[in-house]
Amino acid sequence: MISSHRMWLAAVALVALSGMMSAERRSAGQPRAAVPTQASAAQKAPPMTILRCGTLLDERTEQPLHNLDVVIEGENIKQVEAATRSVPQSATVIDLSHETCLPGLIDTHTHTLLTGDVTEEDYNRQILQESDAYRAIVATQAARLALGYGFTTIRDLETEGAGYADVDLKHAIERGITEGPRMRVATRALDVTGAYPVLGFRWDWPDWPHGVQVCDGADQCRTAVREQISKGADWIKTYLDGGYRVTGNGVVEDRPTFTMDELNAIVDEAHRENHPVASHAIGINGVHNGVMAGVNSIEHGMYIAPDDLKMMAQKGIYYVPTLFVGEYVAQGRAAAGAKVWEQMVSIHGDTFKRALNAGVKIAFGTDAGGFPWTVDPAQEFPLMVKYGMTPAQAIRSATAAAAELLGMRDKVGTIEAGKYADIVAVPGDPLRDVTELEKVNFVMKGGVVYKRP
Ligand SMILES: [Zn+2]
């Protein structure tokens, strides 16, 4: 999430939780009713499936390709070939000849354990009133919705107080117990004492739940990294700043959290154990500290200094901008007294343009869960295009580039022989109108069809 908690907010709930939940139930119901479960579909899976794609987008070719068959055996793509050959009788052919096929989308910044946190009250309600068990059940719905939108892989960037429930969700999906994307998970995330919610409640009750694992001092933080990795974290997530304010010259000032000593220990320990580090950093100081420590991705980065952009390009540090959530929460947070969120929207767009020009690697990420899962995270695409990407670049950020950030390039991100058959399709041409990606009507993950026209 992008921390609504660090400001003083009036207790305004914009959306009644009951209303939000029933809306999620309705939209979750549709794809589920239309498709078999992974387990039942896998049992009945034919030996060969052929997707007959009218158009196919692939990052390796500048132009879209036409009239291709994607041949799938089991969970993998066997080959991609011209749609001319005769089809074996045993093969199942799925006609997507009026569709555009593209690799399954990848969202590199999600929170399946959250259902929206525009205001501090939204957040606190989930942390203080809902058990981890309840939140895990709700998260299965988020995962199903994500898959329905066409996201076949996600990096879930911390559970917001729900312990290691993301590891459980990942395993349940892998075992076919519930439907959802492939997951890379960050478990509990790290921040220092006094910097992360819930905050501001009575001091004489010592055990208020926390949205993160708190660590202070290099040794404690190193231990926390070891704990998280031992319990299933694929990524280590750190929070590097808070207390945002916009200065006269359009710079987002922030209050850094970890000392460099602590942050270096976190990055060193994670990397020593071959685990990458994702860092929430919104303002100038948090981003700078993350870049200096050599984290693998900067999350949000509403303002990044020019020298830090240069360094990110040099070091290959990814920028995961999450433009949509910034716009989504701005009005509600401003109405609750924090105008800074409105001020940061245009600064964010400008930072995105500067990052693009500086040659920084950009991966698609939305912070879904920071807004309700009933909202399609693909609304990030038109903003990336608005601030300078071509539709092809925006699609690449959510496929091949995202796969590279996740260290999964050998398995996902393109449609080619040997990779997982993670393929989606849309009715129109997303290169002409990138909002077509909000109309995904075919979803296959690992050779199993979850949604079809
Ligand atoms: Zn987040």
Side-chain angles (χ1 to χ4, degrees), residues 1-2 109-111 157 160 237 239 280 300 367:
M1 69 158 188
I2 55 168
H109 189 134
T110 65
H111 299 279
L157 277 185
E160 307 286 0
K237 164 92 179 277
Y239 281 86
H280 164 116
H300 314 303
D367 215 10

Side-chain angles (χ1 to χ4, degrees), residues 426-446:
V426 295
D429 177 5
L431 292 182
R432 193 167 297 167
D433 177 5
V434 83
T435 65
E436 286 295 325
L437 296 172
E438 292 160 43
K439 299 173 192 158
V440 169
N441 62 0
F442 174 82
V443 179
M444 171 182 270
K445 189 193 104 189

Side-chain angles (χ1 to χ4, degrees), residues 38 70 146 162 207 367 372 433 451:
Q38 192 168 14
V70 182
D207 290 326
D367 215 10
D433 177 5
K451 188 179 191 180

Side-chain angles (χ1 to χ4, degrees), residues 139-307:
T140 62
Q141 198 173 44
R144 205 176 295 124
L145 284 166
L147 191 60
Y149 295 134
F151 293 93
T152 51
T153 301
I154 60 174
R155 181 180 60 158
D156 209 47
L157 277 185
E158 85 137 321
T159 61
E160 307 286 0
Y164 295 90
D166 53 353
V167 178
D168 295 327
L169 179 60
K170 172 186 162 174
H171 288 160
I173 291 169
E174 285 173 354
R175 293 166 192 164
I177 293 162
T178 192
E179 293 168 4
R182 303 178 193 287
M183 290 179 72
R184 289 289 177 271
V185 299
T187 71
R188 300 171 63 193
L190 300 170
D191 203 342
V192 300
T193 292
Y196 206 85
V198 300
L199 296 169
F201 292 89
R202 51 184 294 183
W203 58 265
D204 53 344
W205 282 13
D207 290 326
W208 290 99
H210 259 298
V212 291
Q213 182 170 8
V214 167
C215 72
D216 298 301
D219 285 351
Q220 223 182 65
C221 290
R222 206 176 271 277
T223 303
V225 170
R226 289 178 183 170
E227 269 176 35
Q228 294 187 357
I229 290 175
S230 74
K231 292 191 166 87
D234 301 304
W235 280 73
I236 297 300
K237 164 92 179 277
T238 61
Y239 281 86
L240 299 190
D241 62 8
Y244 314 114
R245 110 192 135 77
V246 174
T247 65
N249 52 355
V251 171
V252 179
E253 280 285 349
D254 56 349
R255 186 185 60 240
T257 54
F258 292 106
T259 63
M260 284 311 292
D261 191 35
E262 290 165 329
L263 186 53
N264 286 333
I266 290 168
V267 174
D268 177 66
E269 186 58 34
H271 285 177
R272 203 179 58 77
E273 299 193 52
N274 294 323
H275 281 58
V277 179
S279 287
H280 164 116
I282 282 186
I284 184 166
N285 300 305
V287 172
H288 180 70
N289 289 351
V291 170
M292 295 312 288
V295 302
N296 299 83
S297 66
I298 294 289
E299 309 297 313
H300 314 303
M302 288 185 158
Y303 178 84
I304 306 178
D307 282 351

